[in-house]
Amino acid sequence: SSCGEGNGDELQVAPLAWTVRKPHVAHGFEWWENSHGEEVLVTRHPRTGKAMQIVVKDDASVPLDLVDAAVTRIRPTDGVATTSTTHVHLLAAGSGWDSWVGGNSIQYLRDTTALSLVTRGDALNLSGEPLMDAELLIAAAPGWVSTMPHADVPEQWGQATVEVMEHLEPHPLGRAEWMRAFGWMTNRSLGADSAFEALSLRYHDARVNPAQPFRMFTGSIADGVWHAPGDGSFVAQWIEDAGGTYLLEGNGSDDNVEVGLERMLSLADSAHAWVVVAYGEQGYGMDDLLAEDPRHRHAFDGVDDVWVCNTAKADYFGALVVNPDWMLEDLAAMIQGADEGPNGLIQRLTP
């Protein structure tokens, strides 16, 4: 400490020194540690880098003068309530199941362990309006609640909420690495770190260097325009890592892009494969594709091959987020000529 100015006997405490520790792939969070060994989690918008929240455990210090963001104090040992099926999987992958208090959107969960926890009453179905049943949530008293960005959280909850932005990450591994943020916020960092390390190795082992260009696109027609993920998206990264070339490039956009139909149909003529991500309880076929928009026929006729990922069968917003290597393996197998991926996530669409 240094002597303060003035009467000479006031002692000023030296400001805490903070160091920043970045994740391996994710852009949406980082850890700040001070010279007393206290650590906080700073979340950032994965695309703009803007600081969003400073997540603090219990009564730890805050780097207030260094980061301009809202402070959220959580109780890491009291469990988590989730507002998204994706968050359930990130939590389970990073922290195990016993940190899960319950959540909403239970009807969209596919995971048998999660469903059996709810059936047994070990995790609560907190579904209600808006977002959650406030009385049930307050009674459950979780240490914090995971929400989507800009969620309209009712004040009466009185709960610490943490915005999770994994869907804005530009890399599939960056999305999955949010399991480490969940691990830290539940005091399970060691397990989360080793789970992510193992996943990273599996993902890198599954990557393919293309023998020759294999041109691909995704998306579909809505309101007379082609909508698809941009070339800075995790979908484009999956395709590149599987040995494909994503045709909708040149815009550098992480967000969905809109492409005029004429340009899109000329792209389709030069493409090897079109990947359709769709939802069909009873399966998904050519009739379903044309029912969405009859003009899909022109893209179908132009492209060599059409592949479908049916999210009614593939847990696209759940298990796949924390196992991106599964999609990578399936895309790589299809590019190499298989009729179906080894994990059954993608099938050929036959006319």
Side-chain angles (χ1 to χ4, degrees):
S1 59
S2 56
C3 285
E5 291 176 14
N7 59 17
D9 55 5
E10 277 179 34
L11 284 180
Q12 285 187 345
V13 178
L16 287 169
W18 292 86
T19 54
V20 180
R21 185 164 59 90
K22 299 274 189 188
H24 298 306
V25 188
H27 294 262
F29 62 90
E30 64 203 22
W31 295 274
W32 286 54
E33 186 176 3
N34 66 29
S35 38
H36 292 176
E38 296 174 312
E39 204 169 42
V40 301
L41 184 82
V42 175
T43 65
R44 295 186 179 277
H45 190 289
R47 295 181 187 168
T48 66
K50 180 183 189 304
M52 304 297 284
Q53 273 181 293
I54 305 171
V55 183
V56 185
K57 293 180 184 177
D58 300 318
D59 56 358
S61 305
V62 182
L64 272 179
D65 48 342
L66 303 177
V67 184
D68 180 20
V71 176
T72 302
R73 289 193 182 272
I74 63 169
R75 303 186 312 278
T77 56
D78 288 349
V80 188
T82 56
T83 61
S84 156
T85 56
T86 302
H87 301 174
V88 177
H89 285 268
L90 289 167
L91 177 67
S95 315
W97 288 105
D98 56 352
S99 296
W100 189 43
V101 169
N104 66 2
S105 307
I106 300 297
Q107 69 273 30
Y108 300 115
L109 275 173
R110 311 279 176 73
D111 190 274
T112 50
T113 306
L115 291 170
S116 66
L117 286 169
V118 174
T119 304
R120 292 202 308 265
D122 292 333
L124 301 173
N125 182 350
L126 299 171
S127 299
E129 294 298 330
L131 275 184
M132 281 188 177
D133 184 306
E135 282 184 23
L136 282 176
L137 179 64
I138 291 163
W144 56 282
V145 182
S146 70
T147 69
M148 302 288 280
H150 313 301
D152 199 7
V153 176
E155 270 182 37
Q156 81 230 49
W157 280 13
Q159 307 286 335
T161 58
V162 178
E163 292 189 356
V164 177
M165 294 169 285
E166 111 295 325
H167 61 292
L168 299 174
E169 293 285 349
H171 197 293
L173 277 179
R175 290 177 88 200
E177 193 168 10
W178 278 80
M179 70 174 71
R180 297 183 65 204
F182 275 84
W184 183 87
M185 289 187 281
T186 52
N187 287 352
R188 305 286 176 85
S189 280
L190 280 176
D193 292 353
S194 61
F196 180 73
E197 205 171 313
L199 166 62
S200 280
L201 291 171
R202 294 200 307 274
Y203 190 92
H204 288 295
D205 284 349
R207 285 176 60 188
V208 173
N209 290 319
Q212 66 262 1
F214 191 94
R215 294 182 297 279
M216 299 170 66
F217 66 95
T218 60
S220 57
I221 300 169
D223 303 322
V225 178
W226 196 275
H227 293 261
D231 68 342
S233 65
F234 64 83
V235 172
Q237 186 70 51
W238 253 334
I239 286 171
E240 299 283 339
D241 287 342
T245 301
Y246 192 59
L247 278 183
L248 296 172
E249 61 184 351
N251 52 50
S253 171
D254 310 299
D255 288 300
N256 275 12
V257 291
E258 296 181 4
V259 182
L261 286 189
E262 259 182 64
R263 174 165 176 254
M264 197 58 232
L265 296 178
S266 73
L267 279 177
D269 284 341
S270 70
H272 294 98
W274 167 21
V275 185
V276 179
V277 178
Y279 183 89
E281 282 285 352
Q282 310 302 318
Y284 190 91
M286 191 67 191
D287 292 347
D288 302 293
L289 185 65
L290 297 180
E292 285 175 20
D293 195 302
R295 289 168 293 188
H296 282 144
R297 162 64 71 181
H298 302 303
F300 184 90
D301 291 342
V303 71
D304 294 351
D305 225 347
V306 180
W307 308 339
V308 175
C309 173
N310 184 352
T311 60
K313 308 280 184 270
D315 194 4
Y316 194 81
F317 303 102
L320 264 178
V321 175
V322 293
N323 296 285
D325 51 314
W326 296 352
M327 179 60 86
L328 182 57
E329 289 168 352
D330 279 22
L331 283 169
M334 297 292 282
I335 288 171
Q336 290 159 34
D339 282 328
E340 186 176 23
N343 302 298
L345 302 173
I346 310 174
Q347 289 83 29
R348 273 203 165 75
L349 185 71
T350 46

